[in-house]
Amino acid sequence: MAHYDTAVVGGGLLGCAVAWHLARAGTRVLLVEKDQLNRHASGQNAGSLHFQLEYRMVEHGDDAAREAARALPLHLDAMRAWAGLEAALGEPCGVAQRGGLMLAETPAEVAALDRKAALEREHGLDVDVLEGARLRDLAPYLAESVRAAAHLPGEGKANPRLVTPAFARAATRHGAELRTGHRVTALHRDGGRWHLHAEGRADTADTVVLAAGVWTTELAAMADTRLPVFPVGLTMSATARTAPLLPHLIQHVGRRLSMKQTPEGNILLGGGWPAKLVTRQGRIDLDHNPELRYESLTGNADAARVVPAVMHLPVIRSWSGMTTLTPDQLPLLGAVPRRPGLYVATGGSAFTLGPTYARLLAATLLGAQPDLPLDGYSPARFGALNFV
Amino acid sequence: MNEQPDVVVVGAGPAGLAAAATLGRHGADVLVVDEQQRPGGQIYRQPPAGFTRPGRQAKAGRALLAEAESTPNVRWLPDSTAWGVFGTRAGLDDYAGPAPGPGRIRVGVHTPDGGRVLEPSALVLTAGAYDLPVPFPGWTLPGVLTAGGVQTFVKAQGLLPGHRFVLAGGHPLLLVVAAQLVDAGARVVEVAFSQHPRVLLPGPRDLLAAFGSAGKLAEGAAALRTLRRARVPIRFGTVIRSAHGDDALDSVNMSRVDSGGVLMPGTERIVGCDVLALGYGFVPSTELARQAGCAVDWRPGEGGWVVAHDAWMRTSVPGVSVAGELTGVAGAEQAEVEGRLAAYGTLQALGLLDADRASALARPVRRVLARRRRFAAAVLSRFAPAPATLGALVTDETVLCRCEEVRAGDIRQALAEHPHLGTANAVKLVTRAGMGLCQGRSCAPAVCGLIAAQTGRTPEQVGTFTAQPPVKPVPLDALAAAERHA
Ligand SMILES: Cc1cc2nc3c(=O)[nH]c(=O)nc-3n(C[C@H](O)[C@H](O)[C@H](O)COP(=O)(O)OP(=O)(O)OC[C@H]3O[C@@H](n4cnc5c(N)ncnc54)[C@H](O)[C@@H]3O)c2cc1C
Ligand SMILES: Cc1cc2nc3c(=O)[nH]c(=O)nc-3n(C[C@H](O)[C@H](O)[C@H](O)COP(=O)(O)OP(=O)(O)OC[C@H]3O[C@@H](n4cnc5c(N)ncnc54)[C@H](O)[C@@H]3O)c2cc1C
């Protein structure tokens, strides 16, 4: 049994990044991961660095979009954070910010794009709606059917295979202790300290950070508190390698689509196509990957027609993963009310925004005033769920 | 095709043909999906229509082919790949697309005219096996082929892929292919087996019988006679250490191994050739079954990972059965009887046979199967290549994953740098081995063997690469077209 300043539960991007920030500030950190690092959402996602509002945020009308836009300061911060990340971690993470395009094919979509861009510009995001020759010059590979695109120069991609391991190694260099293959099965507070039980070991910490992705609800329950986090299953596909043809991140304002080319030459397709959660005896089984749906694979392929040059490429693999959403689509970030020393970080686009979530949460733990307001993301907004 | 079949059979080899014929005869509506232009699978491979070079094996399989092709209710989808099975884990529903009805499975198929979805009540997987890839320095040179590949050239296309052939490995198929090459006018320089004759005792006849069918003993003996007449040397305890050539193969370096399978220094020999045909054995094509969620077992003597099944060939996934090499590499005759058994099991599930009648029909089939299995256990395991011998051929520079050009040294280094890595999937994520076009079909045995050897883990702990759809590449436009048809 050992005592730490902070114990982090979860070895995904958020857990490893928080551990890095805390360790380099000189605190004693333990990170506990039930499987291997980067095994779940952080290693399975699309690696998109998208800072425009996403399709899922604008598909439910302007009010919902305005609500989602409250998080745009985080987007701006993350855009800068990614640009400096490889230097800060001292290793390559495949970060390439060569611009992103959100496409519109119908007049209604063009109008939606214009409204979205106006909203984003209000928040200081440098979005430009391109049409005609300006668009074709920038992106000659787009299909005729594309009428307009919102361009944001700071968008791009990073490599999910590299990012989390890089955070983990940097954290280790600063003295953080990383323990994999240990599933936390009990979490309670006693004598002013948090007690963590995992695989027969018991350790204590002054503070605990839940960075447990879709398992956040389970961990919260161990601490007898409720955090409303919902798992969703998502689909990705990769094609065979091809010569460079797509320098940008591609999204669509009216369809589920994200598309990019990896440095190796594969085209990655995603954008929110669902996979079906597996249930066992009537309960969601989080320990099984969701089942891929035929319709998601064909639908995603159909959405790719906006870049005709990819259509002859063979798809070599599809996979599914789970990520978390909250009822208001905003992140869940900060101190858990009535549980002194317990913190949580999850929800929303926690790859793209992950480095920012982690930095702000670590600042809170270290007692500093975060430089961006976090109140809107606090678990306190769901305080009605908790009575003790 | 508007009407959905009761049963989809994937693969038209002996197992698939027997399953389809049996199912059809008892009233099931069957659709056979096969990648080849014509049914027959690997062993009964027919030349494309218009060619007239039926091989001896094609003749042997003619009865089975004729039976299947003349059975009513059996339809064929040639030139088509089943690339994914859906609905076996979480079930199908009509939220995302029209649901096909209770108890149905969805199978994605890539056909010459695009994509299509089949929605049968039952699925029989008989995808066969493919040549075990064995990496060594130079194995990626043009001219280094598999024995199965060379046989396809000769049998299906009537072509010789070179002039001077060396055949090497550990499987009796080498003898048959060598004889076919001699018959076709090729110069066979040498046939080399890695095993010592002592390991193969009681003799070359067993070696031939192991090929899968007692009925083929005569054919095997004929192969031996052909080779003897042509004065083709057959050597034992000999392996290929490396292959050489600038842009294509011009020679191989052969070396002897001792009876423990260890390379003997000072025994190396350079032999000129422009084709090296390798036949170390076969790996069951389990990817579609694994993608569907079927449980697998590790059986090194039967090709590696094999699909687990019960006495009616039913897998762990309801509605999905297997037959043939997927259950362990054991040859054509066993594949055929397993195909019939799988059909009887499936017919019961469809309500087309009652349990008593199915048991009665299955009884003689089970007797043949029991005999075959005893034989397989006694003989086949002797041909399983020794992992230590094969592993010793690999240098740090040897490419294991050809698609992503990952070398053995890259994997050793990754294992050294990340001491927590221990599974095939984890190593893949770090090194990209297995992420390419073939999705690990050609590197999984070597990569997994290396991880096990390096980390001291068992093959079961290392596992293999997770199979995901599409299990064979499908062009985006074919998937997209399927969306528009739906
Ligand atoms: C297919 C897909 C596509 C996506 N696309 C995008 C995108 O384009 N942009 C974007 O921003 N985001 C995307 N996401 C979401 C993004 O990947 C996640 O938001 C992010 O990776 C979350 O990181 P995390 O560290 O919170 O979670 P995870 O990576 O899931 O890590 C949580 C970890 O906690 C561990 N854990 C859980 N319970 C316990 C326990 N009891 N004890 C010990 N350890 C435990 C888990 O094993 C896991 O490793 C996508 C996700 C998926 C699946
Ligand atoms: C940016 C990016 C690019 C990709 N490009 C390609 C590509 O070009 N070709 C390609 O084939 N795939 C590619 N992939 C997909 C990758 O190979 C995996 O399929 C995917 O990341 C996770 O998918 P899966 O659910 O299929 O899990 P798999 O990797 O197939 O694994 C599922 C099983 O693997 C184990 N597992 C997985 N990861 C780990 C780990 N880190 N440690 C320990 N165990 C693990 C678990 O036991 C689990 O049961 C890419 C992925 C990403 C994120």
Side-chain angles (χ1 to χ4, degrees), chain B residues 93-168:
Chain B
D93 51 53
D94 59 5
Y95 310 128
R104 296 261 164 176
I105 297 168
R106 198 165 274 169
V107 185
V109 182
H110 179 216
T111 65
D113 39 275
R116 128 170 351 166
V117 63
L118 302 173
E119 290 168 344
S121 304
L123 187 58
V124 181
L125 301 177
T126 66
Y130 60 97
D131 287 273
L132 171 71
V134 173
F136 53 85
W139 76 300
T140 56
L141 273 175
V144 181
L145 302 173
T146 61
V150 169
Q151 193 180 36
T152 304
F153 267 114
V154 179
K155 271 167 78 174
Q157 292 162 30
L159 275 178
L160 280 179
H163 304 286
R164 287 169 60 86
F165 292 77
V166 168
L167 291 87

